Amino acid sequence: MKFMKIGRKPDTFYTEEATRTVISDIPSDLTVRVNNVCFLLHKVPLVPKCGLLQRLCSDSDDSDILTIDLHDVPGGEDAFELCAKFCYGITINLSAHNFVPAFCAAKFLRMTESIEKGNFVLKLEAFFNSCILEGWKDPIVTLQTTIKLPEWSENLGIIRKCIDSIVEKILTPTAKVSWSYTYTRPGYNKKQHQSVPKDWWTEDISDLDIDLFRCIITAVRSTYIPPPQLIGEALHVYACRWLPDTTKSRPPHSSGSQTEESKEKSRRILESIVSMIPADRSSVSIGFLLKLLSIANYLGASPVTKTELMRKAGLQFEEATLNDILFPSQLPTDQHYYDIDLVAAVLESYLVLWRRQSPAPAENGHLLRSIRKTGKLIDSYLQLVARDVNMPISKLVSLAEALPDVAREDHDGLYKAINIYLKEHPDVSKAEKKRLCRMLDCQKLSPEVRAHAVKNERLPLRTVVQVLFFEQESGSRATTHKPELTTREREAPPEAEAEAKQECNNKLQHEGIKSRVPETSERDMQKRLEGMMVRGESEKGKERRREAYSGSKVMDPKQLAGDLANAAFVNLLLKNATNSLDLDRLQICQSSNNKALSQQLSSANNDFNLAMVGLMNGAVDVTDDIQSRGDRLIKRCEICIVSTIEDLF
């Protein structure tokens, strides 16, 4: 910062209440009133240097005590005092902080060369051109002071000259930057960096008013084409300097938190920043755009501003990270912490643009990678917000269902989010559980997640059964992909075939045979189902159970389980489903709710048993018939279980 000292005499001005007087042996003969301050001065040093005072004193005698009102002097009483001290020859220190009011007041008083040689205006202009405009921070400080005198500063050319000086230095190659500047980026150390950063100027100009800041940015962009990222960085620095931070915690909504006047100023700054964002999508980061959108929600910005921010954020949403989308809700009516509505709105904007890019996005490699990356981001976000004890299930489901099916290569992340939500919300109703789990596609769960889901007591039973069925299907597909094994079995020697027949015969005659399902898994599942029956069985279910125990004649499900478990054609699903479920309760379902299915199941079982007897008696040619009958039995077991399980639980 540069200074200029004018005058040599000591300061003899003193202030007493609202009166400022010069200590002198000569009595005052000129009283000047500026606003509420009265100056007791002398005509001799002031009038010769001030053209305005010469005109006002022209009609009075030298001996008269004259009183003049100068309430319109720019800069007020402080600026007038500087001019008065200059007339008295008292030492004054000029700098960028007081140049504007002093220069405007001197112009107002007409302290020009035409009045007297070496007058105040000439000295101020010399200081402005040779000192202020030659520096870097001086013109910025000078611009800041023009806010109080915008019209005078504009008419006298102060604003234009300062902006030109600032823009000229911004455009200077970094290798030639030799002046002091402010650069306080985290992790940046000037001693370790020999070269000047390209955005060295952004912090200093962020101190300016938004209108002046806009003028500089506009001038820079009109003079040459700067990198869009450079303009974006300047906007980011300015936003951090002037806009409220809504990322750390929910801002208070009390009346004293922020006045309406300050909110209006912040809204004006926000809208100006949004309008200055370059069209290039890489000019600003997605994190900055989402931050601006969160601030817009807090300040109640115009719909136009919000729409523009959502559009820009939608273009770059695939680049977002989890930290970029974590914002507290800005609505005082929201009980939940996270602003899930903001994420949903931006996701919708992204999906609209994504669908427009191609009629079949799944066939485009880039678009597929983009939507898959976004899907993982949303699932990670759902896992985090699911921990919010006040998060409504409707918002969670709405955000999860907004993604198209192709966005999720698997549903493991979605399953984790559902499991976390059920864990943090133990009082959720049965209907809400079903609504939440309806989003899951059990076919897209990995084997590890399916194994966890089967034992998950928080999930609805229907979901567990679906997981078991798809586990069986995946096992069946794995079996069909081994034709060489089947061929070797068909080509087995007669001795091996005879041994297999004998072993099958022994197992069918053994009534105490057990399933191959691990005992611990069976016992855990049965305990879980019994617990669910105790908690949730309805009166209708109890009545059905009484009817079943009273006189229903159905096949013995334990015998069926033993037969199926030891038949060579039964796959993994039927083993798990039949032996993991409570078989007595399955019998109740079959007798009370699905009598027709029960009869079909019994008939199929009889057919299967007859075929097995034929096989044991040496009728090897009925093997294919046994295969078809076994498949039919399995299918009807599945239908029976699925049709009755929801009525029971």
Side-chain angles (χ1 to χ4, degrees):
M1 190 70 65
K2 296 183 179 180
F3 299 88
M4 185 175 74
K5 183 181 292 186
I6 302 177
R8 296 181 179 180
K9 296 180 180 179
D11 189 358
T12 55
F13 271 68
Y14 75 94
T15 302
E16 184 177 352
E17 295 182 353
T19 303
R20 299 184 185 181
T21 309
V22 179
I23 300 176
S24 174
D25 296 334
I26 303 173
S28 172
D29 57 356
L30 177 63
T31 301
V32 180
R33 291 182 296 197
V34 180
N35 298 329
N36 297 322
V37 179
C38 182
F39 290 88
L40 303 180
L41 306 173
H42 305 84
K43 294 179 184 179
V44 174
L46 265 70
V47 174
K49 296 180 183 297
C50 300
L52 179 61
L53 294 181
Q54 289 180 8
R55 182 174 63 83
L56 295 176
C57 297
S58 59
D59 297 334
S60 62
D61 297 333
D62 295 338
S63 59
D64 296 339
I65 299 177
L66 188 63
T67 300
I68 300 175
D69 292 331
L70 296 177
H71 301 302
D72 296 332
V73 61
E77 57 273 13
D78 293 334
F80 178 79
E81 183 174 330
L82 284 175
C83 294
K85 287 182 177 180
F86 172 80
C87 295
Y88 278 95
I90 296 175
T91 302
I92 58 176
N93 293 313
L94 293 175
S95 68
H97 292 282
N98 60 7
F99 165 77
V100 171
F103 187 64
C104 294
K107 282 286 189 178
F108 176 81
L109 296 173
R110 292 167 52 192
M111 301 175 69
T112 61
E113 290 298 290
S114 60
I115 302 300
E116 184 176 283
K117 296 295 182 180
N119 215 338
F120 199 27
V121 170
L122 179 64
K123 295 184 180 297
L124 289 171
E125 288 177 343
F127 173 67
F128 180 61
N129 294 324
S130 62
C131 296
I132 292 180
L133 296 181
E134 291 299 317
W136 162 245
K137 293 187 177 181
D138 297 85
I140 295 176
V141 174
T142 302
L143 271 182
Q144 288 178 289
T145 61
T146 61
I147 297 176
K148 296 180 179 180
L149 298 169
E151 294 184 4
W152 276 90
S153 300
E154 184 68 32
N155 294 333
L156 295 175
I158 299 174
I159 294 178
R160 180 183 56 79
K161 291 180 180 179
C162 287
I163 291 177
D164 291 344
S165 174
I166 294 171
V167 171
E168 180 184 0
K169 293 175 178 61
I170 291 175
L171 301 181
T172 301
T174 55
K176 297 182 178 181
V177 174
S178 59
W179 44 82
S180 175
Y181 56 87
T182 304
Y183 199 82
T184 58
R185 301 295 194 281
Y188 180 82
N189 190 342
K190 285 186 178 181
K191 295 181 179 180
Q192 298 177 357
H193 293 77
Q194 301 296 330
S195 61
V196 177
K198 293 182 179 180
D199 58 341
W200 62 268
W201 48 272
T202 55
E203 287 191 38
D204 287 322
I205 68 169
S206 67
D207 292 333
L208 296 172
D209 178 77
I210 185 61
D211 293 329
L212 297 172
F213 176 80
R214 177 196 284 275
C215 290
I216 291 176
I217 296 298
T218 302
V220 170
R221 298 176 69 175
S222 62
T223 303
Y224 88 120
I225 303 177
Q229 295 83 358
L230 197 57
I231 300 298
E233 179 62 19
L235 297 176
H236 180 265
V237 171
Y238 194 88
C240 294
R241 169 73 171 80
W242 293 99
L243 294 178
D245 185 5
T246 61
T247 61
K248 302 302 182 183
S249 60
R250 297 184 66 166
H253 291 277
S254 60
S255 58
S257 61
Q258 190 173 17
T259 64
E260 186 59 34
E261 182 180 356
S262 61
K263 273 194 172 185
E264 179 60 32
K265 179 181 178 181
S266 297
R267 277 193 292 267
R268 187 169 63 90
I269 293 173
L270 174 67
E271 292 172 359
S272 297
I273 290 175
V274 173
S275 66
M276 286 187 283
I277 296 177
D280 193 309
R281 59 176 291 176
S282 63
S283 60
V284 294
S285 66
I286 177 62
F288 177 56
L289 291 172
L290 293 173
K291 184 184 296 185
L292 291 180
L293 185 56
S294 176
I295 295 172
N297 290 335
Y298 169 64
L299 297 176
S302 65
V304 175
T305 301
K306 292 182 181 179
T307 302
E308 180 65 12
L309 283 172
M310 282 191 286
R311 185 189 69 82
K312 290 180 178 293
L315 288 170
Q316 301 177 232
F317 193 58
E318 64 179 282
E319 304 169 7
T321 64
L322 184 58
N323 288 333
D324 291 333
I325 60 178
L326 293 180
F327 295 99
S329 176
Q330 304 302 322
L331 297 178
T333 56
D334 286 346
Q335 297 299 320
H336 53 278
Y337 181 80
Y338 293 102
D339 193 351
I340 193 171
D341 294 329
L342 181 148
V343 178
V346 178
L347 175 62
E348 180 61 28
S349 176
Y350 163 79
L351 291 175
V352 169
L353 298 170
W354 179 79
R355 293 187 180 102
R356 287 178 182 173
Q357 295 182 52
S358 173
E363 299 177 1
N364 186 304
H366 170 72
L367 294 180
L368 183 59
R369 289 191 297 271
S370 173
I371 194 66
R372 289 277 172 84
K373 184 178 180 182
T374 303
K376 290 182 179 180
L377 173 66
I378 294 300
D379 284 349
S380 299
Y381 180 76
L382 290 172
Q383 294 171 30
L384 194 145
V385 300
R387 304 179 189 276
D388 188 347
V389 294
N390 295 319
M391 180 60 65
I393 194 171
S394 59
K395 292 185 179 292
L396 201 75
V397 172
S398 177
L399 180 60
E401 292 180 340
L403 285 171
D405 292 339
V406 71
R408 293 186 174 96
E409 189 174 6
D410 59 65
H411 276 213
D412 291 1
L414 183 59
Y415 171 81
K416 292 177 183 178
I418 293 174
N419 185 46
I420 292 172
Y421 189 88
L422 294 177
K423 181 180 179 180
E424 298 295 332
H425 302 77
D427 298 330
V428 67
S429 67
K430 180 180 178 182
E432 289 177 327
K433 279 188 178 181
K434 290 182 179 179
R435 182 184 180 190
L436 194 62
C437 295
R438 196 179 298 127
M439 303 182 295
L440 271 180
D441 185 350
C442 298
Q443 297 183 79
K444 290 188 175 183
L445 295 178
S446 65
E448 295 79 7
V449 173
R450 282 201 297 264
H452 183 276
V454 169
K455 301 177 183 180
N456 193 342
E457 298 182 357
R458 303 184 187 95
L459 297 179
L461 188 57
R462 180 178 182 86
T463 303
V464 176
V465 172
Q466 288 176 347
V467 173
L468 285 170
F469 282 155
F470 290 121
E471 183 74 17
Q472 178 266 339
E473 287 186 1
S474 63
S476 299
R477 287 194 295 269
T479 303
T480 58
H481 282 84
K482 298 180 180 179
E484 68 282 357
L485 180 61
T486 305
T487 302
R488 286 196 296 270
E489 288 177 352
R490 291 181 178 178
E491 296 177 354
E495 296 80 3
E497 185 177 338
E499 293 178 3
K501 291 180 184 178
Q502 184 62 33
E503 183 180 356
C504 183
N505 186 26
N506 294 338
K507 289 183 177 180
L508 286 173
Q509 293 176 0
H510 192 345
E511 295 182 355
I513 197 71
K514 292 189 176 182
S515 168
R516 296 177 187 177
V517 179
E519 183 179 356
T520 55
S521 175
E522 179 181 352
R523 184 164 54 250
D524 293 343
M525 180 62 73
Q526 184 160 346
K527 286 181 179 180
R528 178 191 168 193
L529 293 177
E530 289 174 355
M532 294 178 67
M533 282 295 297
V534 171
R535 294 192 302 270
E537 185 177 11
S538 64
E539 292 299 326
K540 185 177 179 180
K542 294 177 182 178
E543 183 63 27
R544 290 174 177 172
R545 183 168 60 174
R546 286 194 293 270
E547 291 178 2
Y549 281 123
S550 62
S552 297
K553 293 182 178 181
V554 296
M555 53 176 248
D556 184 1
K558 293 185 177 180
Q559 179 63 39
L560 170 62
D563 293 342
L564 296 178
N566 292 279
F569 312 105
V570 177
N571 50 34
L572 180 62
L573 168 66
L574 196 56
K575 295 175 187 177
N576 286 346
T578 307
N579 292 280
S580 296
L581 295 174
D582 189 327
L583 297 177
D584 292 333
R585 302 196 197 287
L586 183 60
Q587 180 179 1
I588 297 171
C589 293
Q590 294 167 347
S591 62
S592 61
N593 299 334
N594 292 276
K595 294 181 179 180
L597 287 173
S598 177
Q599 293 173 2
Q600 295 178 19
L601 190 61
S602 179
S603 175
N605 183 56
N606 291 335
D607 291 344
F608 180 75
N609 289 337
L610 289 174
M612 289 298 296
V613 171
L615 177 62
M616 289 185 292
N617 291 334
V620 182
D621 58 333
V622 300
T623 303
D624 293 337
D625 188 36
I626 294 174
Q627 174 72 62
S628 62
R629 296 184 187 193
D631 291 341
R632 186 164 62 254
L633 177 59
I634 293 170
K635 185 64 177 177
R636 291 181 179 176
C637 282
E638 293 176 357
I639 295 173
C640 181
I641 293 171
V642 173
S643 300
T644 60
I645 204 70
E646 283 301 315
D647 294 333
L648 182 60
F649 298 99

